[in-house]
Amino acid sequence: MNILVVDDQRAVADSIANGIAYKEIGIDEVYTAYSAMEARLVMLNFDIDILLTDIEMPEEDGLSLFRWMREKFPSTVGIFLTSHADFAYAREAIQMGGFDYILQPARYEDIKAVLERAVKEAHKKDREKRLEKASEIIEDQRDSLMELFMLKVTDGEYEEAKNLYDRMRNTFFANFEKPVFHPVLINILKYESKANKWNEGLIKLVFRNVLEELFEDFNLKVMLTKFDMQNYIAIAVTEANAIPVDAWCAGVENFTKFINTRMDFSVAVYPKKHELDEYSDESFNELKRRKNLNATGSPGIYWEVAPEDFGVVDNVERIRKAEDYIRANITNGITRTEVAEYVHLNEDYFTREFKKYTGYTYKDYEVMIRMEMAKTTLAKTKLPVSIVASKVGYDNFSHFSKAFKKYTGMTPQEFRKS
């Protein structure tokens, strides 16, 4: 424990530095300075736990020094020396966050009594500082494990993901008798300002603080990771059955509303409604599938409900619309990407849904449409086969003939004769 005594009167500073049994009250080193500038140099080069400074000094007074100290070394305890005539200064010093003030002239016993209390305060601040640092380290470790966990999920390494999930639960939430998890996918849609001041660390800080404050009564803790450009996964951890479903839903609604009304970016939020007591990779994949359903990228909250319940057109209608579009544009060289965009679906998701509802892959369906058009044209017109091939989207006659025979078992000429 170290103290710095500052007074522009050298005799006063040296007297205080030498006239008190500092070791008895737990102070190891005593430094002196005779100006605010000199005091700054001492504090920049040595660890100072207590600053005892005169208020009224030439060039720069003790209040100015204290303001600087609060900015640079917020855990240092500040005590002021003042005369009766300077009582207004003392009041201002206390209002600024000073620990105490000592009226001059003062006996050594009086100064020692104040310093004893200051030592206790300095120890308290030191403990708080160490606990805060330890908390930050734990938080960083939690988020690092979360990031590794999500990489394993994304890569399909589910067994390793489960082991990491269990490790997080046992390491960081051992104080819970039975920890349960509430996964939430948060998708940042757009920033209002072109001058984006949000970095990953700041966004995670906002998300975590808002969620933990909203659920403060339920002792909720949050792990966060960013798994791609605009998407974050939050896992809220609580004791089993600690948060009623309606309270969880209301809190997540408030979180979403707060971000979308108070921040300069908007989000779509995809939460699990019910708590999970075991790891499930399907739960996380389901969140991503739900995000893909929000093809228009609309802000808001999307629970575990049917797509039409949150503003997305039923997928049967989407696929019918896609079929009509393919038939109308089959000769224009359309692509699967173009069709998926037309019905406002993610391309991979569109591919799966198209196969589910039609029974065909996109490529096979396109071939089927071309061949059925070709059969109709061959049967009802006398157009040359090369023209028929061109009308159904084939530039190469040979490719068309091979595809047609594979589809019907006959060449175009044989089919026309039949």
Side-chain angles (χ1 to χ4, degrees), residues 4-9 32-44 51-69 73:
L4 171 61
V5 180
V6 186
D7 200 303
D8 63 299
Q9 298 181 57
T32 56
Y34 309 117
S35 68
M37 180 181 293
E38 189 177 346
R40 291 182 189 225
L41 291 173
V42 172
M43 297 188 75
L44 288 169
L51 172 69
L52 176 60
T53 180
D54 186 19
I55 290 182
E56 192 168 357
M57 295 186 293
E59 296 181 1
E60 182 181 359
D61 63 23
L63 296 178
S64 174
L65 173 62
F66 180 77
R67 292 190 194 95
W68 174 85
M69 181 200 76
F73 308 100

Side-chain angles (χ1 to χ4, degrees), residues 96-376:
M96 288 167 53
F99 177 73
D100 207 342
Y101 64 90
I102 298 170
L103 293 174
Q104 290 279 61
R107 297 181 305 167
Y108 291 137
E109 291 82 357
D110 296 333
I111 298 175
K112 183 179 178 182
V114 174
L115 291 179
E116 282 181 309
R117 292 190 295 107
V119 167
K120 292 180 181 178
E121 179 69 13
H123 279 304
K124 178 184 174 184
K125 288 197 171 190
D126 182 60
R127 284 197 302 273
E128 291 173 352
K129 185 178 179 181
R130 284 187 281 109
L131 287 172
E132 185 178 333
K133 190 170 184 180
S135 176
E136 289 175 357
I137 292 172
I138 290 173
E139 197 171 90
D140 288 343
Q141 288 176 336
R142 280 202 318 238
D143 288 352
S144 295
L145 272 180
M146 263 288 291
E147 187 171 354
L148 181 58
F149 163 74
M150 287 309 304
L151 283 174
K152 296 299 183 183
V153 171
T154 303
D155 293 342
E157 299 175 17
Y158 298 127
E159 186 61 33
E160 291 187 43
K162 182 183 184 306
N163 293 336
L164 283 168
Y165 201 77
D166 292 339
R167 181 179 168 190
M168 287 189 290
R169 178 179 60 188
N170 297 332
T171 303
F172 300 117
F173 306 104
N175 59 318
F176 289 114
E177 184 177 341
K178 186 182 178 182
V180 293
F181 309 91
H182 303 263
V184 181
L185 190 158
I186 307 168
N187 175 218
I188 297 180
L189 301 170
K190 65 177 181 177
Y191 295 93
E192 298 300 327
S193 171
K194 291 183 179 179
N196 178 17
K197 61 180 182 293
W198 296 95
N199 57 40
E200 179 181 343
L202 191 55
I203 289 173
K204 286 164 68 173
L205 180 66
V206 170
F207 288 166
R208 175 182 286 110
N209 287 351
V210 173
L211 279 169
E212 291 188 351
E213 185 173 337
L214 285 169
F215 292 97
E216 184 177 7
D217 293 341
F218 301 100
N219 191 27
L220 177 142
K221 301 298 179 185
V222 176
M223 297 183 293
L224 268 163
T225 190
K226 178 180 180 181
F227 70 89
D228 62 25
M229 288 298 292
Q230 298 296 102
N231 294 288
Y232 290 77
I233 284 285
I235 296 183
V237 184
T238 62
E239 193 66 76
N241 302 314
I243 307 180
V245 174
D246 57 347
W248 167 248
C249 293
V252 177
E253 294 277 1
N254 287 333
F255 168 80
T256 307
K257 182 178 180 181
F258 179 90
I259 298 299
N260 283 333
T261 58
R262 303 287 292 278
M263 300 292 105
D264 58 357
F265 57 84
S266 57
V267 296
V269 177
Y270 307 87
K272 293 292 289 183
K273 184 173 289 187
H274 302 283
E275 61 191 33
L276 304 175
D277 55 6
E278 294 293 338
Y279 164 76
S280 168
D281 47 83
E282 176 56 27
S283 294
F284 293 93
N285 291 330
E286 191 270 334
L287 296 182
K288 290 195 283 185
R289 284 199 297 272
R290 224 186 309 155
K291 180 182 77 71
N292 290 338
L293 285 172
N294 185 10
T296 56
S298 301
I301 183 166
Y302 301 100
W303 294 101
E304 298 149 274
V305 293
E308 60 270 23
D309 290 338
F310 56 78
V312 178
V313 179
D314 185 272
N315 283 339
V316 173
E317 293 302 320
R318 286 181 182 270
I319 300 306
R320 287 174 180 167
K321 187 176 179 182
E323 289 182 280
D324 292 340
Y325 185 77
I326 293 169
R327 291 176 184 277
N329 295 277
I330 193 69
T331 61
N332 297 331
I334 57 171
T335 64
R336 182 179 62 180
T337 302
E338 182 183 342
V339 178
E341 289 178 353
Y342 177 74
V343 294
H344 306 294
L345 287 176
N346 171 276
E347 185 174 350
D348 291 336
Y349 180 74
F350 165 74
T351 301
R352 292 195 300 272
E353 293 297 289
F354 191 86
K355 175 79 182 295
K356 181 168 73 174
Y357 287 109
T358 66
Y360 292 92
T361 66
Y362 175 82
K363 184 176 181 181
D364 287 345
Y365 185 85
E366 193 178 64
V367 169
M368 183 267 289
I369 294 298
R370 292 180 190 276
M371 293 301 105
E372 291 300 320
M373 287 179 63
K375 285 167 63 178
T376 300

